[in-house]
Amino acid sequence: MAKRILDIIDLKRSFTVGSETVHALKGVSFTVDAGEFVTIMGSSGSGKTTMLNILGCLDKPTDGQYLLDGVDVKGLSRDELAKLRNRKIGFVFQSYNLLARTSALENVELPLLYNNDVPAEERKEKAIKALESVGLGDRLDHVPNQLSGGQQQRVAIARALVNEPVMILADEATGNLDSRTSYGIMALFQELNTKGKTIVFVTHEPDIATFSSRTITLKDGRIVKDVKNENVRSAKEVLAAMPVDKDE
Amino acid sequence: MNLIKLLELAGKALMRNKTRAFLTMLGIIIGVGAVITMVSIGEGSKQSIRSQLSGMGSNMIMIRPFSTSTVGGGARLGTTGLQTLRLEDVKSIEEQAKFITDVSPSVSTNAQAIYGPDNWPTQMQGVAPSYLNIREWKLSSGMPFTDDDVTTSSKVCLLGQTVIDNIFTPGENPIGKVIRFGKIPFTVIGVLEKKGENTFGQDQDDIILAPYSTVQKRILAIVYIQNIFASAIDENSSDTATKELTAILRVNHKLKPNDDNDFTIRTQVELINTISSTSQLLTVLLTAIAGISLLVGGIGIMNIMYVSVTERTKEIGLRMAIGARGRDILLQFLVEAILISITGGIIGVVLGVTAAKLVTLFLGWPTLVSQSSIILSFAVCAITGVFFGYYPAQSASRLDPIEALRYE
């Protein structure tokens, strides 16, 4: 049996806005095993973002249990959460969030700076390896504004991979990209998944969900659908089948 | 995260905004530059006053008779009429005092110095040969008188330059000549080096030195002495020497524990301190003004750091999301602030030292760049960086990563 990465039991999260209490998550339970590629779907207001923040250890649940790679997140301090994010989660954001005027290599090295287990000498080597694995081995010294959107997102993915996390957490990672580049990024995610990476992908695009092996749909703070995708599309094939844009 | 990496990060962050970093530094640069220049001007003037005073013999201690006893209807006696100091006191000091190198009695009197057709009113001071050491006074020609001259009360003397200028024709060698002081002939055996005016404008060269015994017996016909001059082994032992002298003289004068001293002891160090304290005040004032500009510079740093934190909220959010702890963020911004203030400090030191040199060069004021002022202003810089950088850095470290990430 595959190792359990996420174990979520009756998770609740409520916010107090003025005198009213808003229940963003009203009791969510699911598990994710190592090697899965899960998309979390939902329209705005479904509790998707709240879910993402909790999964990313940026926020803590009001009630219920969240085990990440066997660690109970509840009761951890701010510093311990930071360490957990550093070691176990690789974030990929919609707007890439690369440091401006900073080379791709240094951007990828960033998580290693906060990881005391990686000696300084190994940082560069690891960062180069991560950039090579996303196909940017020849762009090490480029700064973000010398890179296309797709390339920037690849740098961000390399940054997410560099600390060898148990899970990659993507937040609308293709939201800012045109469909062709999106498929390229999805192909990269699929490739990483076949190499054994666990991926949790939060999105509102149903099209993107077809590339994952499982889709969880949230609505009004509850899971309304949790289905295995029997017919996973290959992003690589879709990309190959696309007509080449004449403008390019 | 180690210090080198932190410095590198901070350096890069500052290089992204060169102009802003420089303008922020400018406050510190001017502050430190001003402190160093001002302190060096103050120290310079203090030093020059001090060296002028040490010319008088900075270890010199002077003992004068003093009395609280009264005569007649309660009038206090002046010092000249007092006969409490004796040659025995000088002998006791010579034998017992450990912190005294030289000691000399002193008696003086005024009369006309006469040579050929010229005469000049001057003072003759009767002293022991050691007096020259005490006053750090050298001869420009001739020989000093000796202990033998004292024993025999010889009529020999050393002339100050002013006396020579007034009674000898220019170019004439006074050595070996016989002059008259009042009615008594003295053979000139040496010429005192020119000392110039002292701090109070008195001409120190308007004097004739002779053996004290000669002045006591042949001119004044007295057995007591008017003053005792002594020198402490070094400037720092003046206080100890004063205590020692007090003890010796009290025993000699058979004073009871409750009696007041019948003498006063003055040290040159006291005088130096009195005068130095004036220029000390000046230094403090100048430093205070310069310190204020350093404070203003510090506030400038704080302001820019707050702007920087706001501007880079998203970066902070990202760093937190990928595992930076609050402490890491705090350190990052703190090191940036310290880097600004220390770089500014270094430039300021260079500027201040240059300015001090220019002041000496163009205005002719004495300046002294002391190491302590450099170290001090540098330390103040670092503290300014920490102090004014801490609050912005702390506010950065307390940001909520979720909100910081979504900040536009």
Side-chain angles (χ1 to χ4, degrees), chain A residues 58 82-83 85-86 91 93 97 99-100 102 106-107 109-111 113-114 159, chain B residues 1 5-6 8-10 12-13 16 312-326 328-330 332-333 336 401 404-405:
Chain A
L58 293 166
K83 189 170 177 181
R85 290 197 291 270
N86 184 249
F91 280 98
F93 302 94
N97 278 349
L99 295 189
T102 304
E106 282 177 300
N107 264 298
E109 275 183 348
L110 212 54
L113 288 181
Y114 299 111
R159 183 180 63 195
Chain B
M1 199 152 32
K5 200 75 203 173
L6 272 171
E8 197 189 315
L9 273 180
K12 272 191 191 133
R16 273 183 225 148
R312 283 152 69 190
T313 301
K314 202 156 187 176
E315 176 191 327
I316 295 165
L318 170 79
R319 285 179 186 272
M320 284 179 160
I322 60 171
R325 291 163 303 174
D328 296 318
I329 301 291
L330 180 89
Q332 187 191 340
F333 281 90
E336 255 176 58
L405 269 172

Side-chain angles (χ1 to χ4, degrees), chain A residues 2-18:
Chain A
K3 201 177 150 204
R4 186 145 291 179
I5 300 297
L6 297 182
D7 198 344
I8 288 165
I9 306 154
D10 198 26
L11 200 72
K12 287 177 186 159
R13 179 73 172 99
S14 48
F15 301 95
T16 312
V17 182

Side-chain angles (χ1 to χ4, degrees), chain B residues 139-299:
Chain B
L139 297 182
S140 60
S141 63
M143 297 279 287
F145 53 81
T146 60
D147 287 330
D148 283 345
D149 293 319
V150 172
T151 317
T152 58
S153 307
S154 340
K155 292 179 275 183
V156 292
C157 69
L158 307 172
L159 294 187
Q161 197 57 49
T162 308
V163 180
I164 292 171
D165 292 344
N166 282 294
I167 59 172
F168 284 95
T169 50
E172 194 176 357
N173 182 9
I175 308 279
K177 302 278 165 22
V178 177
I179 64 161
R180 275 197 298 132
F181 183 76
K183 288 171 188 161
I184 303 160
F186 279 88
T187 309
V188 179
I189 57 165
V191 176
L192 293 163
E193 223 170 46
K194 197 171 168 67
K195 248 188 178 328
E197 287 177 2
N198 69 12
T199 340
F200 313 104
Q202 283 170 330
D203 183 1
Q204 301 180 81
D205 300 313
D206 189 3
I207 201 154
I208 301 174
L209 294 185
Y212 66 89
S213 52
T214 314
V215 179
Q216 259 187 325
K217 291 173 190 164
R218 296 187 194 272
I219 304 176
L220 294 172
I222 53 171
V223 288
Y224 64 89
I225 55 179
Q226 291 161 344
N227 299 306
I228 298 174
F229 287 90
S231 64
I233 47 176
D234 58 51
E235 212 172 305
N236 299 327
S237 23
S238 281
D239 277 345
T240 329
T242 307
K243 287 197 190 94
E244 201 179 24
L245 291 175
T246 310
I248 293 171
L249 291 177
R250 283 186 73 91
V251 171
N252 263 19
H253 295 181
K254 301 187 174 66
L255 295 176
K256 297 195 186 79
N258 291 332
D259 291 346
D260 289 328
N261 288 342
D262 58 355
F263 52 88
T264 52
I265 300 178
R266 275 279 150 101
T267 64
Q268 203 69 349
V269 173
E270 281 171 16
L271 190 66
I272 291 175
N273 288 344
T274 313
I275 294 174
S276 302
S277 71
T278 319
S279 66
Q280 184 73 41
L281 184 70
L282 186 79
T283 310
V284 169
L285 278 176
L286 291 175
T287 314
I289 293 167
I292 289 170
S293 64
L294 207 56
L295 180 78
V296 174
I299 294 171

